[in-house]
Amino acid sequence: MTFSELSALWVLATVSSFSPGPNTALSTAMAANYGLRHAMRFVCAVPVGWGMLFTLCATGLGGLVVAFPPLRWGIVVLGNGYLLWLASRLWGSGSLQQADSAKLQVGFVQGVGLQFLNIKAWMLALAIVAGWVAGREDATARTLVLLPVMVAYGFFSNLTYAVAGSMLRHWLAHGRRLLVFNRCMAVALLATVVWLLNGLRTTGT
């Protein structure tokens, strides 16, 4: 793999991993409400789930998502429905005590599974496979290079957002700050849903 190919991948990985999205919003919100230790289960789950998803796409199974519209829309409906449910749980949490009782719990297994319901993650994995793997004689070697790179980006991007959320934890505990913060996170999740649906509509998928 040439340096120019790796450079293009690094740019794509940085933009896609560190830009706000459902994973980073959840990492931030969980760390702010429960602390960094609690959020680490989800932070670790994201790269594991995405790595599994990327591997499926690299072996050709991900093409079913593109070729079979009912499956694609099933992922969209289930994934976005879950994000909306999480947003509703965040919206009403105005104190750390309320956050505990609200049970906004996304553990390791749920975090891994959420990646398979994230149509954005599917499209990113398919785009990387199409641009860097498919049709290459060294496809297996390229997959083995790309997989740890993207897994690392997934881990460190979510860890960065989680650390930021945990640093705000004590400041958010006063007054209505946590309520405002949680509602901003809920709006971020809602905006992600709208953005994903609009992207699917404009591309005709």
Side-chain angles (χ1 to χ4, degrees):
M1 188 175 297
T2 65
F3 178 76
S4 61
E5 288 179 307
L6 284 175
S7 299
L9 176 68
W10 290 333
V11 171
L12 174 62
T14 301
V15 172
S16 61
S17 299
F18 283 90
S19 58
N23 288 328
T24 54
L26 288 174
S27 295
T28 307
M30 282 189 285
N33 284 275
Y34 302 114
L36 182 60
R37 182 176 180 180
H38 175 90
M40 285 304 297
R41 292 182 296 178
F42 181 73
V43 170
C44 292
V46 171
V48 171
W50 199 90
M52 294 169 62
L53 177 63
F54 176 76
T55 302
L56 287 176
C57 291
T59 57
L61 295 179
L64 290 174
V65 176
V66 175
F68 191 51
L71 177 59
R72 182 168 66 250
W73 279 104
I75 293 173
V76 171
V77 171
L78 290 174
N80 287 335
Y82 186 57
L83 292 179
L84 291 174
W85 179 80
L86 291 173
S88 70
R89 305 305 292 265
L90 274 172
W91 185 264
S93 297
S95 71
L96 296 180
Q97 291 74 24
Q98 288 180 2
D100 288 337
S101 64
K103 300 298 182 185
L104 181 65
Q105 305 286 350
V106 184
F108 184 84
V109 175
Q110 293 93 331
V112 170
L114 181 59
Q115 306 316 304
F116 289 87
L117 297 178
N118 185 347
I119 194 65
K120 179 183 177 182
W122 278 102
M123 294 299 103
L124 175 62
L126 288 169
I128 293 175
V129 169
W132 281 268
V133 177
R136 311 283 183 145
E137 293 183 357
D138 57 343
T140 300
R142 284 171 174 265
T143 299
L144 294 177
V145 171
L146 293 171
L147 180 59
V149 171
M150 295 307 300
V151 165
Y153 267 95
F155 174 76
F156 285 108
S157 61
N158 282 277
L159 178 61
T160 299
Y161 277 85
V163 169
S166 67
M167 293 174 65
L168 293 172
R169 178 172 168 79
H170 294 295
W171 182 80
L172 292 170
H174 301 284
R176 293 172 55 86
R177 293 172 182 173
L178 186 64
L179 177 63
V180 174
F181 174 83
N182 282 338
R183 288 188 173 180
C184 288
M185 293 296 98
V187 170
L189 290 176
L190 177 60
T192 300
V193 171
V194 172
W195 177 78
L196 289 172
L197 291 176
N198 184 65
L200 291 171
R201 180 183 62 82
T202 56
T203 56
T205 55

